[in-house]
Amino acid sequence: MKVSQNWLKTLVEINTTPEDLSEKLSIGGFEVESLVDCSENVKGIVLGKVLSVIKHENSDKLSICSVDIGRSNPLQIICGAKNVKQNIYVYVAPVGTHLNAINLTIKKSEIRGVFSEGMICSLEELGIEESSEGIAIIDQDIALKHKLGTSGADLLDLNDFIYDLAITANRPDGMSVVGIAREISALLETKINFPDLKNKYKINTHNNFELCHDAITTNCLYSISNIESVNGKELSPIWLKNRLDRSGIKSINLLVDITNYILLEQGQPLHAFDKDKLTNLIGRKVSFQDFSVRKAYNNESLLCLNGENYKLNENITVIACDDKPVAIAGVIGGLETAVNEDTSSIYLEGAVFNPVSIRKSSKEIGIRTESSSRYEKGISYKNTLDSVTRAINILEEYFTITNPIINTSIDFANKEKLISLRRERIHKILGPILIENDVKDKKDKLDKRYLTDTEITEKLKLIGCTLNVQEYGWEVEVIPNRSQDLLREIDLIEEIARLIGYDMFDLNLPNPIKPGKLSSSQIALRKLKTSLIVNGFNEVLSYSLVPESNNNLIKISNPLLLETSCLRDNIWQEHIKICNQNIKSGHNYCWIFEVGNIFHKKPDLSQEEILNGAIYGNKKFEQWIGSNKVNNLNYYEARGKLKEALTILNIQIDDKPTNTIDFLHPGRSSRLFTEGNEVGYFGEIHPKLISNKKALKKMYLFSLNLKNILKASTRKNKWVTVFKEFPTVPKMERDINFIFNKKYLVSEIITQIKKSGKKLLEDVNLIDVYDDNNFGKDLISYTFRLSYRDSEKTLLDSDIGFLHDSIVEIIEKKFSTKLRK
């Protein structure tokens, strides 16, 4: 929101510098993003009069000018403009002036043997116009009102500052100059001088408007007023053009400019329709009763003021005349019914629409306008009819208008909602303020006291509130343009604190009953993240909003963009994209993990927290040897990296091969189980993802359900460390080798060995895998190392012989194999 200080000064007394005011506005909640001095480009420029013009002897194009700028002696200036002549008034840049627009500092110089003591400027050189032909000649009537040597800023009315404010969604009053002026009044404690409504007009309540219930809700209204005897050729006065220009709006003609002026001044969007064009559109004389608000029909179209022809749909709200669309409600008007030079009568629309419907329309057509931004933040319908009246008042200053009638959809009495404000509640929420005492001997030079009733009422009156005294405190009536954000007692208390100054209040930090601490699950999760990082993984964070790609995604009701319209149901797709980006950037590896939520639509809406990750390449520093070799981990190496990171949780995770996960390789993927429950998956990506260019190279994906693995790892027998003595006797190891059918899992075999080994069998490890075509394509050789130990004594061969033979026999019988010798 850009606003001119000169405009503000007509509404509120400003008794401080622009820099200080910017700081106060920012602290008060209206951040000033930039402060622009309008006179910056014309500093040093003065009014001059050309006394004489002589052709330069050594140039056909140059002239020697004698220019009076109010000094004792005129300046001699060399000028090359064709339109320079005697007795004209011009803008002069004396020696030492810096022209920002062309980055030139004027110096005394010699041009073809003649000295020049300045420069006669064009508007382009002053940064006022993009291009100019010749120097700028000042109108004599204007020049004669000023002394020679008067600054260019005074002549051009550029002694002004422009505040560019960032208005937050909770302060829609900041989208109007009146709202900003009231805020300045409250911050500086100065008087305001808002324009009065000179004339008021008849209000006709028409209850039979056809209005869309989604767009015109309880606190909304629609009004339309017929105004005759206007002239589209009439241009705006200079003061109006300047205010619009410095607010970033281009002047078009008086009719359009007044609607834009009210939008800026009051924060109420208005729109003017050409009455004759409406009559031509519907084929008969138009009436206010022909206007309606409805949802657009599918495949309907509208050519708008920006020259774009938009295809409409049921998500877009339109203004219709005799059911023909003439504007996109609250966003942009139609070109076919727009005001132009031939306009002689108009229909002036003033309305308040539901912010949600405006946001949907704006998003559907892909534009955001000054009007739509105000509707989206929310404006009060109680200010609409006064804004329409204000617009007609200004029109009456330039046109002869007879008996205009404002037709509105609702009849509302000025019954303001009163907010109960309790004195006791203010003191409890804000506490005492700190004030300096006058006692010299006191160690503590600050006294504490609660806010007085006078201080409370004065601050609330500064923002336009009316207070009725009650025994408990006050009943507060809020002005319309603050009715969107001052809704509750706590809102008023916050305003009091803001205007008093938060730094004026005493600190009153609560004492916690007991210090907080992390739960076992939180500690386990932190340990897991640290373990992954220690093992070479990098943590990433991806966006949980994704584009709609299938019907299983949960759609959000009011997305900002189509690319972020749904909640994700997986993370692995984003991780493949991250790996692809690293591959394109020339990285040889990418090991990543992420803890995040995924969202399920069926059977019921739910969310699940998972640990997801991807492994691509071999993360090693030895790049000199074998640098040209394939830099990939095989399935077992990649799975080993994950296993190494998960050891911190002290849980057993078993793998079971699977071919049912469609994005994983059917022969190189497995489902992960702990305590008999499935907790995730691990596997190589499916080759089709590489052939379809969705993945650039082979990589591995894994996913774990955090709830299940953290629950398993934080069980008392796993989580609480129990002291166990180191063995004092040696262990005895025996290796056994079998040829198994590949359908049997190593985990199944190890489980069976442990079950058969009873107390003496301490551990079982797979130490060798050998696959040979001579065995047959379905057979493979596994070698296991069995460790035996008795805590009481050193074992002999005779102690374990029978047990070892029993284990071999059970394995041979269970898995239909024979011991290899």
Side-chain angles (χ1 to χ4, degrees):
M1 174 73 180
K2 293 182 179 180
V3 61
S4 155
Q5 177 166 276
N6 287 349
W7 189 356
L8 286 169
K9 283 182 175 179
T10 65
L11 302 173
V12 62
E13 180 186 343
I14 297 177
N15 55 11
T16 186
T17 64
E19 293 75 17
D20 183 54
L21 180 57
S22 296
E23 185 177 353
K24 288 182 182 295
L25 283 168
S26 296
I27 294 173
F30 287 161
E31 181 187 356
V32 179
E33 294 185 325
S34 65
L35 177 65
V36 178
D37 184 353
C38 296
S39 66
E40 186 67 28
N41 287 341
V42 296
K43 285 185 176 178
I45 303 297
V46 296
L47 171 63
K49 181 179 182 181
V50 180
L51 301 177
S52 64
V53 178
I54 304 172
K55 282 292 180 182
H56 196 298
E57 293 180 356
N58 299 322
S59 173
D60 295 333
K61 295 182 179 180
L62 298 178
S63 301
I64 303 171
C65 305
S66 177
V67 184
D68 184 2
I69 62 169
R71 297 181 181 176
S72 56
N73 296 315
L75 302 179
Q76 179 174 280
I77 298 175
I78 307 298
C79 181
K82 294 179 180 180
N83 61 336
V84 66
K85 57 186 177 181
Q86 188 177 3
N87 294 327
I88 61 171
Y89 293 90
V90 292
Y91 297 107
V92 180
V95 172
T97 303
H98 182 75
L99 299 175
N100 290 326
I102 57 176
N103 193 25
L104 174 67
T105 300
I106 305 301
K107 299 177 181 178
K108 187 175 181 179
S109 58
E110 184 179 347
I111 302 175
R112 298 195 179 186
V114 179
F115 282 101
S116 180
E117 300 173 300
M119 178 176 174
I120 302 174
C121 302
S122 67
L123 293 180
E124 179 182 357
E125 290 158 341
L126 297 180
I128 295 172
E129 292 183 353
E130 292 185 3
S131 62
S132 300
E133 292 186 5
I135 59 173
I137 300 175
I138 303 172
D139 186 272
Q140 186 172 342
D141 292 337
I142 297 175
L144 291 175
K145 295 177 182 178
H146 301 85
K147 293 181 180 180
L148 294 177
T150 300
S151 72
D154 288 338
L155 290 165
L156 294 164
D157 191 24
L158 292 177
N159 286 318
D160 196 4
F161 288 86
I162 297 175
Y163 299 85
D164 191 355
L165 304 170
I167 307 301
T168 54
N170 66 320
R171 290 297 303 275
D173 59 300
M175 296 297 285
S176 67
V177 181
V178 165
I180 297 167
R182 190 179 292 279
E183 179 71 11
I184 292 172
S185 170
L187 294 172
L188 302 181
E189 298 187 4
T190 55
K191 294 180 179 180
I192 54 177
N193 181 32
F194 290 167
D196 295 324
L197 298 178
K198 298 177 182 177
N199 298 312
K200 293 193 175 183
Y201 311 104
K202 181 180 178 181
I203 307 294
N204 174 41
T205 304
H206 182 63
N207 297 321
N208 296 323
F209 279 119
E210 293 183 11
L211 303 175
C212 172
H213 296 298
D214 290 337
I216 305 293
T217 54
T218 306
N219 292 325
C220 302
L221 68 78
Y222 186 80
S223 75
I224 196 80
S225 307
N226 181 21
I227 301 172
E228 302 284 347
S229 303
V230 296
N231 185 357
K233 294 179 181 179
E234 186 76 23
L235 298 180
S236 298
I238 295 298
W239 67 268
L240 182 52
K241 286 183 178 180
N242 285 343
R243 290 182 182 181
L244 292 179
D245 179 62
R246 291 172 193 177
S247 298
I249 295 179
K250 182 180 178 181
S251 174
I252 297 173
N253 60 41
L254 182 56
L255 296 176
V256 176
D257 289 355
I258 287 174
T259 62
N260 287 331
Y261 180 75
I262 297 300
L263 174 135
L264 294 172
E265 183 188 75
Q266 303 293 331
Q268 171 65 59
L270 302 177
H271 185 72
F273 298 99
D274 187 304
K275 182 178 179 180
D276 293 334
K277 290 184 177 181
L278 290 170
T279 298
N280 293 334
L281 178 68
I282 67 175
R284 58 176 172 79
K285 187 175 181 180
V286 68
S287 165
F288 73 88
Q289 298 173 344
D290 293 319
F291 286 88
S292 62
V293 181
R294 63 170 174 82
K295 291 295 183 182
Y297 306 132
N298 287 328
N299 300 320
E300 200 170 26
S301 64
L302 179 64
L303 179 63
C304 291
L305 290 171
N306 58 1
E308 293 288 334
N309 193 3
Y310 294 104
K311 290 185 178 179
L312 309 180
N313 58 53
E314 292 179 348
N315 291 323
I316 298 173
T317 305
V318 298
I319 306 299
C321 184
D322 195 29
D323 206 39
K324 293 179 173 58
V326 293
I328 297 175
V331 182
I332 190 170
L335 185 61
E336 195 175 354
T337 56
V339 170
N340 61 16
E341 292 184 352
D342 299 325
T343 300
S344 60
S345 58
I346 62 172
Y347 269 101
L348 184 63
E349 175 196 77
V352 174
F353 301 103
N354 180 10
V356 175
S357 68
I358 301 302
R359 177 62 191 143
K360 286 182 178 179
S361 298
S362 178
K363 182 177 70 69
E364 284 291 329
I365 64 174
I367 63 169
R368 198 160 186 257
T369 61
E370 291 285 347
S371 295
S372 67
S373 63
R374 284 164 174 78
Y375 280 127
E376 287 171 24
K377 285 183 170 64
I379 58 179
S380 174
Y381 73 100
K382 296 173 184 177
N383 198 43
T384 302
L385 299 187
D386 283 346
S387 297
V388 173
T389 302
R390 168 81 172 137
I392 300 175
N393 280 178
I394 299 174
L395 285 168
E396 283 184 325
E397 294 179 15
Y398 300 93
F399 306 110
T400 303
I401 300 172
T402 56
N403 301 323
I405 298 174
I406 302 174
N407 303 287
T408 178
S409 61
I410 61 171
D411 180 18
F412 61 92
N414 289 322
K415 292 182 180 178
E416 297 292 340
K417 179 183 176 183
L418 298 178
I419 303 172
S420 297
L421 180 61
R422 295 167 290 175
R423 184 183 297 104
E424 180 185 349
R425 187 66 175 163
I426 296 173
H427 297 330
K428 184 176 181 180
I429 295 291
L430 300 182
I433 60 172
L434 300 174
I435 55 173
E436 292 187 7
N437 59 59
D438 299 329
V439 182
K440 294 182 179 180
D441 297 333
K442 266 194 174 183
K443 293 183 180 179
D444 188 0
K445 294 185 177 181
L446 294 176
D447 287 334
K448 299 179 182 180
R449 67 166 177 81
Y450 289 107
L451 292 174
T452 64
D453 286 4
T454 302
E455 288 172 321
I456 293 169
T457 56
E458 283 181 353
K459 294 304 178 185
L460 290 177
K461 285 178 180 178
L462 284 173
I463 58 173
C465 295
T466 303
L467 293 88
N468 301 319
V469 179
Q470 302 292 329
E471 184 179 348
Y472 58 81
W474 303 268
E475 283 187 346
V476 183
E477 182 181 318
V478 178
I479 58 172
N481 74 340
R482 293 302 303 273
S483 61
Q484 302 296 310
D485 65 300
L486 299 182
L487 303 171
R488 304 165 298 165
E489 180 184 42
I490 192 65
D491 298 326
L492 294 172
I493 296 174
E494 183 183 0
E495 283 296 290
I496 295 168
R498 184 176 70 86
L499 295 173
I500 292 288
Y502 293 114
D503 55 339
M504 294 292 293
F505 291 91
D506 185 28
L507 294 176
N508 187 23
L509 299 176
N511 294 319
I513 298 173
K514 60 180 179 180
K517 64 177 182 178
L518 297 175
S519 65
S520 299
S521 295
Q522 289 171 323
I523 295 172
L525 179 58
R526 291 194 177 191
K527 284 184 176 180
L528 177 56
K529 285 184 176 182
T530 302
S531 180
L532 284 161
I533 293 169
V534 167
N535 281 279
F537 288 83
N538 291 309
E539 186 174 8
V540 298
L541 181 65
S542 59
Y543 208 28
S544 60
L545 296 177
V546 296
E548 184 178 2
S549 56
N550 59 68
N551 293 328
N552 293 325
L553 296 178
I554 300 172
K555 297 180 182 179
I556 59 177
S557 59
N558 192 22
L560 291 175
L561 300 167
L562 290 175
E563 290 76 14
T564 56
S565 59
C566 297
L567 294 170
R568 66 184 176 189
D569 63 352
N570 70 77
I571 302 180
W572 62 266
Q573 290 179 330
E574 284 298 318
H575 285 187
I576 288 179
K577 291 178 182 177
I578 294 172
C579 288
N580 287 343
Q581 289 173 351
N582 280 268
I583 293 168
K584 290 177 181 178
S585 300
H587 295 286
N588 295 323
Y589 60 86
C590 181
W591 296 6
I592 57 175
F593 76 93
E594 176 179 355
V595 174
N597 289 315
I598 59 175
F599 306 88
H600 304 293
K601 189 175 183 179
K602 297 177 181 179
D604 296 315
L605 297 181
S606 62
Q607 71 180 44
E608 175 187 3
E609 189 178 25
I610 63 171
L611 168 69
N612 218 94
I615 301 173
Y616 154 71
N618 193 356
K619 190 172 186 178
K620 60 182 181 180
F621 294 102
E622 299 85 358
Q623 298 293 324
W624 292 100
I625 301 174
S627 60
N628 294 325
K629 295 181 179 178
V630 176
N631 192 33
N632 286 329
L633 298 176
N634 62 36
Y635 176 89
Y636 300 103
E637 290 172 326
R639 178 66 181 89
K641 293 296 180 184
L642 178 61
K643 180 180 179 181
E644 192 175 352
L646 293 174
T647 54
I648 193 71
L649 297 181
N650 193 29
I651 56 175
Q652 177 70 33
I653 295 182
D654 299 319
D655 296 49
K656 291 186 179 181
T658 183
N659 58 4
T660 59
I661 303 176
D662 58 1
F663 55 88
L664 295 181
H665 194 298
R668 300 173 191 169
S669 58
S670 60
R671 295 190 182 274
L672 308 180
F673 291 81
T674 187
E675 297 182 342
N677 299 316
E678 184 178 343
V679 293
Y681 62 78
F682 178 90
E684 181 183 324
I685 62 169
H686 201 289
K688 69 182 180 183
L689 294 177
I690 299 177
S691 62
N692 294 337
K693 304 297 183 183
K694 291 185 178 179
L696 298 181
K697 291 189 178 180
K698 182 176 76 173
M699 58 189 74
Y700 301 92
L701 303 175
F702 62 86
S703 179
L704 294 167
N705 181 292
L706 277 178
K707 181 180 178 181
N708 289 343
I709 63 170
L710 294 179
K711 183 178 179 181
S713 67
T714 53
R715 295 191 192 283
K716 190 173 182 180
N717 62 330
K718 300 282 186 182
W719 189 247
V720 180
T721 304
V722 179
F723 174 73
K724 185 178 180 181
E725 291 185 355
F726 283 99
T728 57
V729 294
K731 64 181 176 181
M732 184 176 289
E733 296 179 338
R734 294 287 185 271
D735 294 347
I736 55 176
N737 177 261
F738 295 93
I739 296 176
F740 291 94
N741 192 301
K742 291 181 179 179
K743 69 179 181 179
Y744 297 118
L745 302 178
V746 171
S747 59
E748 293 180 45
I749 300 169
I750 291 176
T751 301
Q752 186 60 52
I753 293 174
K754 287 182 176 180
K755 190 186 294 184
S756 307
K758 300 179 181 177
K759 291 184 178 180
L760 292 180
L761 182 62
E762 185 179 69
D763 197 11
V764 182
N765 289 294
L766 176 69
I767 62 171
D768 185 61
V769 178
Y770 184 62
D771 195 358
D772 194 321
N773 291 333
N774 294 328
F775 296 152
K777 66 177 184 178
D778 294 330
L779 300 177
I780 191 169
S781 171
Y782 296 137
T783 300
F784 298 95
R785 177 161 292 166
L786 281 61
S787 300
Y788 297 96
R789 195 194 307 263
D790 189 334
S791 59
E792 303 291 334
K793 64 175 183 176
T794 301
L795 292 173
L796 302 175
D797 286 343
S798 59
D799 295 325
I800 65 168
F802 177 78
L803 176 60
H804 188 73
D805 292 340
S806 174
I807 292 172
V808 171
E809 183 180 347
I810 291 171
I811 297 301
E812 288 178 337
K813 184 177 180 181
K814 178 77 174 178
F815 299 101
S816 303
T817 183
K818 286 291 183 182
L819 181 69
R820 296 184 69 209
K821 297 181 180 179

